[in-house]
PDB file of all heavy atoms in Angstrom:
ATOM      1  N   GLY A  20      -9.683   3.304 -24.260  1.00 78.00           N
ATOM      2  CA  GLY A  20     -10.977   3.636 -24.827  1.00 78.00           C
ATOM      3  C   GLY A  20     -10.895   4.593 -25.994  1.00 78.00           C
ATOM      4  O   GLY A  20     -11.816   5.405 -26.197  1.00 78.00           O
ATOM      5  N   GLY A  21      -9.795   4.544 -26.727  1.00 78.00           N
ATOM      6  CA  GLY A  21      -9.645   5.422 -27.887  1.00 78.00           C
ATOM      7  C   GLY A  21      -9.150   6.805 -27.544  1.00 78.00           C
ATOM      8  O   GLY A  21      -8.906   7.621 -28.437  1.00 78.00           O
ATOM      9  N   ALA A  22      -8.986   7.110 -26.253  1.00 86.00           N
ATOM     10  CA  ALA A  22      -8.502   8.439 -25.834  1.00 86.00           C
ATOM     11  C   ALA A  22      -7.163   8.289 -25.122  1.00 86.00           C
ATOM     12  O   ALA A  22      -6.845   7.244 -24.558  1.00 86.00           O
ATOM     13  CB  ALA A  22      -9.536   9.092 -24.891  1.00 86.00           C
ATOM     14  N   VAL A  23      -6.377   9.362 -25.173  1.00 88.00           N
ATOM     15  CA  VAL A  23      -5.058   9.384 -24.525  1.00 88.00           C
ATOM     16  C   VAL A  23      -5.178  10.113 -23.200  1.00 88.00           C
ATOM     17  O   VAL A  23      -5.713  11.220 -23.126  1.00 88.00           O
ATOM     18  CB  VAL A  23      -4.013  10.057 -25.423  1.00 88.00           C
ATOM     19  CG1 VAL A  23      -2.686  10.188 -24.674  1.00 88.00           C
ATOM     20  CG2 VAL A  23      -3.810   9.265 -26.700  1.00 88.00           C
ATOM     21  N   ARG A  24      -4.675   9.499 -22.128  1.00 88.00           N
ATOM     22  CA  ARG A  24      -4.746  10.086 -20.796  1.00 88.00           C
ATOM     23  C   ARG A  24      -3.339  10.121 -20.193  1.00 88.00           C
ATOM     24  O   ARG A  24      -2.605   9.156 -20.255  1.00 88.00           O
ATOM     25  CB  ARG A  24      -5.683   9.255 -19.915  1.00 88.00           C
ATOM     26  CG  ARG A  24      -5.913   9.830 -18.506  1.00 88.00           C
ATOM     27  CD  ARG A  24      -7.130   9.155 -17.873  1.00 88.00           C
ATOM     28  NE  ARG A  24      -6.955   7.718 -17.770  1.00 88.00           N
ATOM     29  CZ  ARG A  24      -6.432   7.115 -16.680  1.00 88.00           C
ATOM     30  NH1 ARG A  24      -6.049   7.840 -15.651  1.00 88.00           N
ATOM     31  NH2 ARG A  24      -6.319   5.794 -16.654  1.00 88.00           N
ATOM     32  N   ARG A  25      -2.966  11.273 -19.626  1.00 89.00           N
ATOM     33  CA  ARG A  25      -1.662  11.437 -19.009  1.00 89.00           C
ATOM     34  C   ARG A  25      -1.680  10.823 -17.608  1.00 89.00           C
ATOM     35  O   ARG A  25      -2.496  11.214 -16.753  1.00 89.00           O
ATOM     36  CB  ARG A  25      -1.281  12.914 -18.892  1.00 89.00           C
ATOM     37  CG  ARG A  25      -1.134  13.619 -20.232  1.00 89.00           C
ATOM     38  CD  ARG A  25       0.241  13.385 -20.829  1.00 89.00           C
ATOM     39  NE  ARG A  25       1.295  14.089 -20.141  1.00 89.00           N
ATOM     40  CZ  ARG A  25       2.584  13.969 -20.432  1.00 89.00           C
ATOM     41  NH1 ARG A  25       2.967  13.161 -21.409  1.00 89.00           N
ATOM     42  NH2 ARG A  25       3.500  14.660 -19.776  1.00 89.00           N
ATOM     43  N   VAL A  26      -0.782   9.843 -17.370  1.00 88.00           N
ATOM     44  CA  VAL A  26      -0.723   9.179 -16.068  1.00 88.00           C
ATOM     45  C   VAL A  26       0.740   9.012 -15.672  1.00 88.00           C
ATOM     46  O   VAL A  26       1.635   8.963 -16.525  1.00 88.00           O
ATOM     47  CB  VAL A  26      -1.406   7.798 -16.098  1.00 88.00           C
ATOM     48  CG1 VAL A  26      -2.880   7.918 -16.466  1.00 88.00           C
ATOM     49  CG2 VAL A  26      -0.677   6.847 -17.057  1.00 88.00           C
ATOM     50  N   PRO A  27       1.032   8.936 -14.360  1.00 86.00           N
ATOM     51  CA  PRO A  27       2.412   8.666 -13.932  1.00 86.00           C
ATOM     52  C   PRO A  27       2.830   7.250 -14.368  1.00 86.00           C
ATOM     53  O   PRO A  27       1.992   6.346 -14.411  1.00 86.00           O
ATOM     54  CB  PRO A  27       2.324   8.764 -12.400  1.00 86.00           C
ATOM     55  CG  PRO A  27       1.071   9.518 -12.122  1.00 86.00           C
ATOM     56  CD  PRO A  27       0.131   9.188 -13.216  1.00 86.00           C
ATOM     57  N   SER A  28       4.096   7.072 -14.667  1.00 82.00           N
ATOM     58  CA  SER A  28       4.569   5.764 -15.152  1.00 82.00           C
ATOM     59  C   SER A  28       4.368   4.663 -14.105  1.00 82.00           C
ATOM     60  O   SER A  28       4.249   3.494 -14.453  1.00 82.00           O
ATOM     61  CB  SER A  28       6.044   5.854 -15.541  1.00 82.00           C
ATOM     62  OG  SER A  28       6.837   6.258 -14.427  1.00 82.00           O
ATOM     63  N   THR A  29       4.315   5.058 -12.819  1.00 81.00           N
ATOM     64  CA  THR A  29       4.146   4.046 -11.760  1.00 81.00           C
ATOM     65  C   THR A  29       2.747   3.432 -11.793  1.00 81.00           C
ATOM     66  O   THR A  29       2.525   2.388 -11.166  1.00 81.00           O
ATOM     67  CB  THR A  29       4.375   4.687 -10.380  1.00 81.00           C
ATOM     68  OG1 THR A  29       3.582   5.876 -10.267  1.00 81.00           O
ATOM     69  CG2 THR A  29       5.839   5.029 -10.188  1.00 81.00           C
ATOM     70  N   GLU A  30       1.816   4.055 -12.488  1.00 84.00           N
ATOM     71  CA  GLU A  30       0.463   3.520 -12.593  1.00 84.00           C
ATOM     72  C   GLU A  30       0.295   2.535 -13.750  1.00 84.00           C
ATOM     73  O   GLU A  30      -0.741   1.879 -13.874  1.00 84.00           O
ATOM     74  CB  GLU A  30      -0.563   4.650 -12.745  1.00 84.00           C
ATOM     75  CG  GLU A  30      -0.688   5.525 -11.498  1.00 84.00           C
ATOM     76  CD  GLU A  30      -1.789   6.559 -11.638  1.00 84.00           C
ATOM     77  OE1 GLU A  30      -2.577   6.447 -12.617  1.00 84.00           O
ATOM     78  OE2 GLU A  30      -1.861   7.484 -10.801  1.00 84.00           O
ATOM     79  N   LEU A  31       1.332   2.444 -14.599  1.00 86.00           N
ATOM     80  CA  LEU A  31       1.235   1.541 -15.759  1.00 86.00           C
ATOM     81  C   LEU A  31       1.363   0.103 -15.311  1.00 86.00           C
ATOM     82  O   LEU A  31       2.131  -0.223 -14.397  1.00 86.00           O
ATOM     83  CB  LEU A  31       2.323   1.878 -16.766  1.00 86.00           C
ATOM     84  CG  LEU A  31       2.232   3.254 -17.459  1.00 86.00           C
ATOM     85  CD1 LEU A  31       3.448   3.474 -18.355  1.00 86.00           C
ATOM     86  CD2 LEU A  31       0.949   3.377 -18.263  1.00 86.00           C
ATOM     87  N   ARG A  32       0.602  -0.758 -15.965  1.00 88.00           N
ATOM     88  CA  ARG A  32       0.648  -2.178 -15.682  1.00 88.00           C
ATOM     89  C   ARG A  32       0.867  -2.950 -16.978  1.00 88.00           C
ATOM     90  O   ARG A  32       0.660  -2.423 -18.085  1.00 88.00           O
ATOM     91  CB  ARG A  32      -0.665  -2.645 -15.012  1.00 88.00           C
ATOM     92  CG  ARG A  32      -0.902  -2.036 -13.635  1.00 88.00           C
ATOM     93  CD  ARG A  32       0.141  -2.518 -12.640  1.00 88.00           C
ATOM     94  NE  ARG A  32      -0.083  -1.994 -11.277  1.00 88.00           N
ATOM     95  CZ  ARG A  32       0.426  -0.862 -10.825  1.00 88.00           C
ATOM     96  NH1 ARG A  32       1.184  -0.114 -11.618  1.00 88.00           N
ATOM     97  NH2 ARG A  32       0.202  -0.481  -9.570  1.00 88.00           N
ATOM     98  N   LYS A  33       1.285  -4.203 -16.826  1.00 88.00           N
ATOM     99  CA  LYS A  33       1.531  -5.058 -17.986  1.00 88.00           C
ATOM    100  C   LYS A  33       0.269  -5.099 -18.853  1.00 88.00           C
ATOM    101  O   LYS A  33      -0.844  -5.328 -18.355  1.00 88.00           O
ATOM    102  CB  LYS A  33       1.900  -6.459 -17.515  1.00 88.00           C
ATOM    103  CG  LYS A  33       2.382  -7.382 -18.628  1.00 88.00           C
ATOM    104  CD  LYS A  33       2.675  -8.764 -18.102  1.00 88.00           C
ATOM    105  CE  LYS A  33       3.819  -8.764 -17.120  1.00 88.00           C
ATOM    106  NZ  LYS A  33       4.200 -10.139 -16.682  1.00 88.00           N
ATOM    107  N   GLY A  34       0.475  -4.879 -20.151  1.00 89.00           N
ATOM    108  CA  GLY A  34      -0.650  -4.909 -21.098  1.00 89.00           C
ATOM    109  C   GLY A  34      -1.177  -3.538 -21.489  1.00 89.00           C
ATOM    110  O   GLY A  34      -1.890  -3.401 -22.486  1.00 89.00           O
ATOM    111  N   ASP A  35      -0.816  -2.490 -20.710  1.00 91.00           N
ATOM    112  CA  ASP A  35      -1.256  -1.126 -21.062  1.00 91.00           C
ATOM    113  C   ASP A  35      -0.598  -0.669 -22.363  1.00 91.00           C
ATOM    114  O   ASP A  35       0.545  -1.042 -22.673  1.00 91.00           O
ATOM    115  CB  ASP A  35      -0.916  -0.143 -19.939  1.00 91.00           C
ATOM    116  CG  ASP A  35      -1.782  -0.333 -18.711  1.00 91.00           C
ATOM    117  OD1 ASP A  35      -2.817  -1.001 -18.846  1.00 91.00           O
ATOM    118  OD2 ASP A  35      -1.419   0.178 -17.636  1.00 91.00           O
ATOM    119  N   ILE A  36      -1.330   0.178 -23.109  1.00 92.00           N
ATOM    120  CA  ILE A  36      -0.810   0.738 -24.366  1.00 92.00           C
ATOM    121  C   ILE A  36      -0.488   2.203 -24.140  1.00 92.00           C
ATOM    122  O   ILE A  36      -1.313   2.959 -23.594  1.00 92.00           O
ATOM    123  CB  ILE A  36      -1.836   0.612 -25.520  1.00 92.00           C
ATOM    124  CG1 ILE A  36      -2.316  -0.842 -25.662  1.00 92.00           C
ATOM    125  CG2 ILE A  36      -1.229   1.106 -26.831  1.00 92.00           C
ATOM    126  CD1 ILE A  36      -1.249  -1.819 -26.042  1.00 92.00           C
ATOM    127  N   VAL A  37       0.730   2.610 -24.533  1.00 92.00           N
ATOM    128  CA  VAL A  37       1.124   4.014 -24.399  1.00 92.00           C
ATOM    129  C   VAL A  37       1.606   4.541 -25.747  1.00 92.00           C
ATOM    130  O   VAL A  37       2.094   3.785 -26.581  1.00 92.00           O
ATOM    131  CB  VAL A  37       2.228   4.209 -23.334  1.00 92.00           C
ATOM    132  CG1 VAL A  37       1.722   3.858 -21.963  1.00 92.00           C
ATOM    133  CG2 VAL A  37       3.460   3.387 -23.680  1.00 92.00           C
ATOM    134  N   VAL A  38       1.441   5.863 -25.936  1.00 93.00           N
ATOM    135  CA  VAL A  38       1.921   6.537 -27.138  1.00 93.00           C
ATOM    136  C   VAL A  38       3.110   7.403 -26.725  1.00 93.00           C
ATOM    137  O   VAL A  38       3.020   8.183 -25.773  1.00 93.00           O
ATOM    138  CB  VAL A  38       0.821   7.418 -27.753  1.00 93.00           C
ATOM    139  CG1 VAL A  38       1.349   8.137 -28.997  1.00 93.00           C
ATOM    140  CG2 VAL A  38      -0.406   6.586 -28.108  1.00 93.00           C
ATOM    141  N   ILE A  39       4.225   7.235 -27.425  1.00 91.00           N
ATOM    142  CA  ILE A  39       5.454   7.961 -27.073  1.00 91.00           C
ATOM    143  C   ILE A  39       5.911   8.744 -28.290  1.00 91.00           C
ATOM    144  O   ILE A  39       6.134   8.171 -29.364  1.00 91.00           O
ATOM    145  CB  ILE A  39       6.572   7.003 -26.619  1.00 91.00           C
ATOM    146  CG1 ILE A  39       6.027   6.005 -25.588  1.00 91.00           C
ATOM    147  CG2 ILE A  39       7.734   7.784 -26.022  1.00 91.00           C
ATOM    148  CD1 ILE A  39       6.957   4.860 -25.298  1.00 91.00           C
ATOM    149  N   SER A  40       6.050  10.040 -28.131  1.00 90.00           N
ATOM    150  CA  SER A  40       6.423  10.918 -29.233  1.00 90.00           C
ATOM    151  C   SER A  40       7.868  11.382 -29.106  1.00 90.00           C
ATOM    152  O   SER A  40       8.536  11.114 -28.095  1.00 90.00           O
ATOM    153  CB  SER A  40       5.484  12.148 -29.288  1.00 90.00           C
ATOM    154  OG  SER A  40       4.144  11.731 -29.412  1.00 90.00           O
ATOM    155  N   GLN A  41       8.342  12.086 -30.128  1.00 87.00           N
ATOM    156  CA  GLN A  41       9.722  12.579 -30.165  1.00 87.00           C
ATOM    157  C   GLN A  41      10.042  13.395 -28.922  1.00 87.00           C
ATOM    158  O   GLN A  41       9.280  14.263 -28.507  1.00 87.00           O
ATOM    159  CB  GLN A  41       9.929  13.421 -31.421  1.00 87.00           C
ATOM    160  CG  GLN A  41      11.342  13.977 -31.550  1.00 87.00           C
ATOM    161  CD  GLN A  41      11.518  14.741 -32.854  1.00 87.00           C
ATOM    162  OE1 GLN A  41      10.736  14.604 -33.770  1.00 87.00           O
ATOM    163  NE2 GLN A  41      12.542  15.568 -32.929  1.00 87.00           N
ATOM    164  N   GLY A  42      11.189  13.091 -28.295  1.00 85.00           N
ATOM    165  CA  GLY A  42      11.633  13.828 -27.123  1.00 85.00           C
ATOM    166  C   GLY A  42      11.156  13.266 -25.805  1.00 85.00           C
ATOM    167  O   GLY A  42      11.617  13.700 -24.750  1.00 85.00           O
ATOM    168  N   GLU A  43      10.235  12.312 -25.827  1.00 89.00           N
ATOM    169  CA  GLU A  43       9.676  11.772 -24.592  1.00 89.00           C
ATOM    170  C   GLU A  43      10.440  10.530 -24.148  1.00 89.00           C
ATOM    171  O   GLU A  43      10.999   9.797 -24.969  1.00 89.00           O
ATOM    172  CB  GLU A  43       8.198  11.426 -24.763  1.00 89.00           C
ATOM    173  CG  GLU A  43       7.314  12.654 -24.986  1.00 89.00           C
ATOM    174  CD  GLU A  43       5.859  12.267 -25.161  1.00 89.00           C
ATOM    175  OE1 GLU A  43       5.547  11.106 -25.510  1.00 89.00           O
ATOM    176  OE2 GLU A  43       4.999  13.155 -24.939  1.00 89.00           O
ATOM    177  N   LEU A  44      10.435  10.284 -22.824  1.00 85.00           N
ATOM    178  CA  LEU A  44      11.061   9.087 -22.286  1.00 85.00           C
ATOM    179  C   LEU A  44      10.093   7.906 -22.377  1.00 85.00           C
ATOM    180  O   LEU A  44       8.890   8.075 -22.225  1.00 85.00           O
ATOM    181  CB  LEU A  44      11.440   9.306 -20.814  1.00 85.00           C
ATOM    182  CG  LEU A  44      12.617  10.241 -20.525  1.00 85.00           C
ATOM    183  CD1 LEU A  44      12.737  10.467 -19.033  1.00 85.00           C
ATOM    184  CD2 LEU A  44      13.910   9.677 -21.078  1.00 85.00           C
ATOM    185  N   VAL A  45      10.671   6.736 -22.620  1.00 87.00           N
ATOM    186  CA  VAL A  45       9.857   5.516 -22.607  1.00 87.00           C
ATOM    187  C   VAL A  45       9.509   5.233 -21.148  1.00 87.00           C
ATOM    188  O   VAL A  45      10.393   5.084 -20.308  1.00 87.00           O
ATOM    189  CB  VAL A  45      10.645   4.329 -23.222  1.00 87.00           C
ATOM    190  CG1 VAL A  45       9.821   3.048 -23.122  1.00 87.00           C
ATOM    191  CG2 VAL A  45      10.991   4.625 -24.672  1.00 87.00           C
ATOM    192  N   PRO A  46       8.212   5.182 -20.787  1.00 85.00           N
ATOM    193  CA  PRO A  46       7.821   5.079 -19.375  1.00 85.00           C
ATOM    194  C   PRO A  46       8.018   3.711 -18.743  1.00 85.00           C
ATOM    195  O   PRO A  46       7.962   3.564 -17.542  1.00 85.00           O
ATOM    196  CB  PRO A  46       6.343   5.465 -19.400  1.00 85.00           C
ATOM    197  CG  PRO A  46       5.882   5.063 -20.760  1.00 85.00           C
ATOM    198  CD  PRO A  46       7.045   5.287 -21.678  1.00 85.00           C
ATOM    199  N   GLY A  47       8.215   2.686 -19.553  1.00 84.00           N
ATOM    200  CA  GLY A  47       8.399   1.341 -19.010  1.00 84.00           C
ATOM    201  C   GLY A  47       8.794   0.370 -20.104  1.00 84.00           C
ATOM    202  O   GLY A  47       8.707   0.686 -21.294  1.00 84.00           O
ATOM    203  N   ASP A  48       9.241  -0.823 -19.711  1.00 84.00           N
ATOM    204  CA  ASP A  48       9.614  -1.837 -20.688  1.00 84.00           C
ATOM    205  C   ASP A  48       8.391  -2.222 -21.526  1.00 84.00           C
ATOM    206  O   ASP A  48       7.278  -2.324 -21.015  1.00 84.00           O
ATOM    207  CB  ASP A  48      10.130  -3.087 -19.995  1.00 84.00           C
ATOM    208  CG  ASP A  48      11.454  -2.865 -19.293  1.00 84.00           C
ATOM    209  OD1 ASP A  48      11.988  -1.756 -19.409  1.00 84.00           O
ATOM    210  OD2 ASP A  48      11.935  -3.794 -18.636  1.00 84.00           O
ATOM    211  N   GLY A  49       8.634  -2.438 -22.811  1.00 86.00           N
ATOM    212  CA  GLY A  49       7.510  -2.820 -23.655  1.00 86.00           C
ATOM    213  C   GLY A  49       7.932  -3.238 -25.049  1.00 86.00           C
ATOM    214  O   GLY A  49       9.129  -3.332 -25.346  1.00 86.00           O
ATOM    215  N   GLU A  50       6.940  -3.483 -25.895  1.00 87.00           N
ATOM    216  CA  GLU A  50       7.161  -3.853 -27.285  1.00 87.00           C
ATOM    217  C   GLU A  50       6.408  -2.892 -28.190  1.00 87.00           C
ATOM    218  O   GLU A  50       5.246  -2.553 -27.929  1.00 87.00           O
ATOM    219  CB  GLU A  50       6.691  -5.284 -27.548  1.00 87.00           C
ATOM    220  CG  GLU A  50       7.593  -6.330 -26.956  1.00 87.00           C
ATOM    221  CD  GLU A  50       7.213  -7.741 -27.401  1.00 87.00           C
ATOM    222  OE1 GLU A  50       6.043  -8.118 -27.206  1.00 87.00           O
ATOM    223  OE2 GLU A  50       8.093  -8.443 -27.945  1.00 87.00           O
ATOM    224  N   VAL A  51       7.091  -2.448 -29.251  1.00 88.00           N
ATOM    225  CA  VAL A  51       6.455  -1.544 -30.222  1.00 88.00           C
ATOM    226  C   VAL A  51       5.406  -2.338 -30.987  1.00 88.00           C
ATOM    227  O   VAL A  51       5.698  -3.388 -31.561  1.00 88.00           O
ATOM    228  CB  VAL A  51       7.505  -0.963 -31.181  1.00 88.00           C
ATOM    229  CG1 VAL A  51       6.834  -0.020 -32.178  1.00 88.00           C
ATOM    230  CG2 VAL A  51       8.600  -0.247 -30.426  1.00 88.00           C
ATOM    231  N   ILE A  52       4.172  -1.835 -30.995  1.00 89.00           N
ATOM    232  CA  ILE A  52       3.096  -2.503 -31.722  1.00 89.00           C
ATOM    233  C   ILE A  52       2.640  -1.705 -32.940  1.00 89.00           C
ATOM    234  O   ILE A  52       1.918  -2.217 -33.787  1.00 89.00           O
ATOM    235  CB  ILE A  52       1.881  -2.772 -30.814  1.00 89.00           C
ATOM    236  CG1 ILE A  52       1.338  -1.467 -30.222  1.00 89.00           C
ATOM    237  CG2 ILE A  52       2.256  -3.752 -29.708  1.00 89.00           C
ATOM    238  CD1 ILE A  52       0.054  -1.651 -29.434  1.00 89.00           C
ATOM    239  N   GLU A  53       3.124  -0.461 -33.020  1.00 87.00           N
ATOM    240  CA  GLU A  53       2.790   0.350 -34.190  1.00 87.00           C
ATOM    241  C   GLU A  53       3.814   1.451 -34.345  1.00 87.00           C
ATOM    242  O   GLU A  53       4.168   2.131 -33.387  1.00 87.00           O
ATOM    243  CB  GLU A  53       1.395   0.961 -34.023  1.00 87.00           C
ATOM    244  CG  GLU A  53       0.910   1.725 -35.258  1.00 87.00           C
ATOM    245  CD  GLU A  53      -0.497   2.264 -35.095  1.00 87.00           C
ATOM    246  OE1 GLU A  53      -1.382   1.494 -34.669  1.00 87.00           O
ATOM    247  OE2 GLU A  53      -0.699   3.475 -35.379  1.00 87.00           O
ATOM    248  N   GLY A  54       4.290   1.637 -35.579  1.00 87.00           N
ATOM    249  CA  GLY A  54       5.212   2.720 -35.862  1.00 87.00           C
ATOM    250  C   GLY A  54       6.672   2.311 -35.848  1.00 87.00           C
ATOM    251  O   GLY A  54       7.025   1.139 -35.637  1.00 87.00           O
ATOM    252  N   LEU A  55       7.522   3.301 -36.060  1.00 85.00           N
ATOM    253  CA  LEU A  55       8.971   3.134 -36.118  1.00 85.00           C
ATOM    254  C   LEU A  55       9.606   4.392 -35.573  1.00 85.00           C
ATOM    255  O   LEU A  55       9.153   5.506 -35.858  1.00 85.00           O
ATOM    256  CB  LEU A  55       9.403   2.865 -37.568  1.00 85.00           C
ATOM    257  CG  LEU A  55      10.894   2.746 -37.887  1.00 85.00           C
ATOM    258  CD1 LEU A  55      11.098   1.787 -39.055  1.00 85.00           C
ATOM    259  CD2 LEU A  55      11.518   4.099 -38.228  1.00 85.00           C
ATOM    260  N   ALA A  56      10.660   4.239 -34.749  1.00 85.00           N
ATOM    261  CA  ALA A  56      11.289   5.413 -34.161  1.00 85.00           C
ATOM    262  C   ALA A  56      12.751   5.140 -33.827  1.00 85.00           C
ATOM    263  O   ALA A  56      13.162   3.989 -33.664  1.00 85.00           O
ATOM    264  CB  ALA A  56      10.544   5.825 -32.880  1.00 85.00           C
ATOM    265  N   SER A  57      13.537   6.224 -33.741  1.00 84.00           N
ATOM    266  CA  SER A  57      14.912   6.142 -33.273  1.00 84.00           C
ATOM    267  C   SER A  57      14.898   6.312 -31.754  1.00 84.00           C
ATOM    268  O   SER A  57      14.248   7.217 -31.231  1.00 84.00           O
ATOM    269  CB  SER A  57      15.775   7.241 -33.896  1.00 84.00           C
ATOM    270  OG  SER A  57      15.876   7.065 -35.289  1.00 84.00           O
ATOM    271  N   ILE A  58      15.623   5.432 -31.058  1.00 85.00           N
ATOM    272  CA  ILE A  58      15.645   5.443 -29.586  1.00 85.00           C
ATOM    273  C   ILE A  58      17.057   5.685 -29.091  1.00 85.00           C
ATOM    274  O   ILE A  58      18.001   5.027 -29.531  1.00 85.00           O
ATOM    275  CB  ILE A  58      15.130   4.096 -29.017  1.00 85.00           C
ATOM    276  CG1 ILE A  58      13.775   3.724 -29.617  1.00 85.00           C
ATOM    277  CG2 ILE A  58      15.066   4.172 -27.494  1.00 85.00           C
ATOM    278  CD1 ILE A  58      12.622   4.564 -29.171  1.00 85.00           C
ATOM    279  N   ASP A  59      17.209   6.654 -28.197  1.00 81.00           N
ATOM    280  CA  ASP A  59      18.495   6.912 -27.553  1.00 81.00           C
ATOM    281  C   ASP A  59      18.589   6.008 -26.320  1.00 81.00           C
ATOM    282  O   ASP A  59      17.883   6.202 -25.334  1.00 81.00           O
ATOM    283  CB  ASP A  59      18.572   8.376 -27.137  1.00 81.00           C
ATOM    284  CG  ASP A  59      19.842   8.710 -26.377  1.00 81.00           C
ATOM    285  OD1 ASP A  59      20.733   7.835 -26.283  1.00 81.00           O
ATOM    286  OD2 ASP A  59      19.955   9.836 -25.855  1.00 81.00           O
ATOM    287  N   GLU A  60      19.472   5.000 -26.380  1.00 75.00           N
ATOM    288  CA  GLU A  60      19.620   4.032 -25.282  1.00 75.00           C
ATOM    289  C   GLU A  60      20.932   4.244 -24.517  1.00 75.00           C
ATOM    290  O   GLU A  60      21.405   3.357 -23.830  1.00 75.00           O
ATOM    291  CB  GLU A  60      19.570   2.611 -25.820  1.00 75.00           C
ATOM    292  CG  GLU A  60      18.218   2.223 -26.419  1.00 75.00           C
ATOM    293  CD  GLU A  60      18.128   0.748 -26.747  1.00 75.00           C
ATOM    294  OE1 GLU A  60      19.175   0.168 -27.132  1.00 75.00           O
ATOM    295  OE2 GLU A  60      17.037   0.169 -26.616  1.00 75.00           O
ATOM    296  N   SER A  61      21.516   5.450 -24.638  1.00 68.00           N
ATOM    297  CA  SER A  61      22.834   5.688 -24.020  1.00 68.00           C
ATOM    298  C   SER A  61      22.804   5.524 -22.511  1.00 68.00           C
ATOM    299  O   SER A  61      23.817   5.164 -21.906  1.00 68.00           O
ATOM    300  CB  SER A  61      23.332   7.081 -24.389  1.00 68.00           C
ATOM    301  OG  SER A  61      22.401   8.085 -23.981  1.00 68.00           O
ATOM    302  N   ALA A  62      21.639   5.782 -21.886  1.00 60.00           N
ATOM    303  CA  ALA A  62      21.551   5.614 -20.434  1.00 60.00           C
ATOM    304  C   ALA A  62      21.741   4.159 -20.026  1.00 60.00           C
ATOM    305  O   ALA A  62      22.159   3.874 -18.913  1.00 60.00           O
ATOM    306  CB  ALA A  62      20.189   6.120 -19.936  1.00 60.00           C
TER     307      ALA A  62
END
């Protein structure tokens, strides 16, 4: 609804949109729909 809400990753479902900033973990598998970023995938 145009607002950002903090939720546990276990509550995310397919189709949800999340915003991920520098230093944060990607909460689930997904596709980038806006922006560009460097991702550490060493894990």
Side-chain angles (χ1 to χ4, degrees):
V23 175
R24 184 164 60 92
R25 296 277 288 176
V26 299
S28 59
T29 51
E30 293 185 10
L31 295 176
R32 295 294 182 270
K33 189 182 296 185
D35 288 344
I36 307 296
V37 295
V38 179
I39 313 168
S40 302
Q41 180 177 343
E43 293 180 338
L44 289 173
V45 177
D48 292 357
E50 286 188 305
V51 180
I52 59 174
E53 185 178 311
L55 176 149
S57 295
I58 308 289
D59 176 7
E60 295 189 326
S61 57

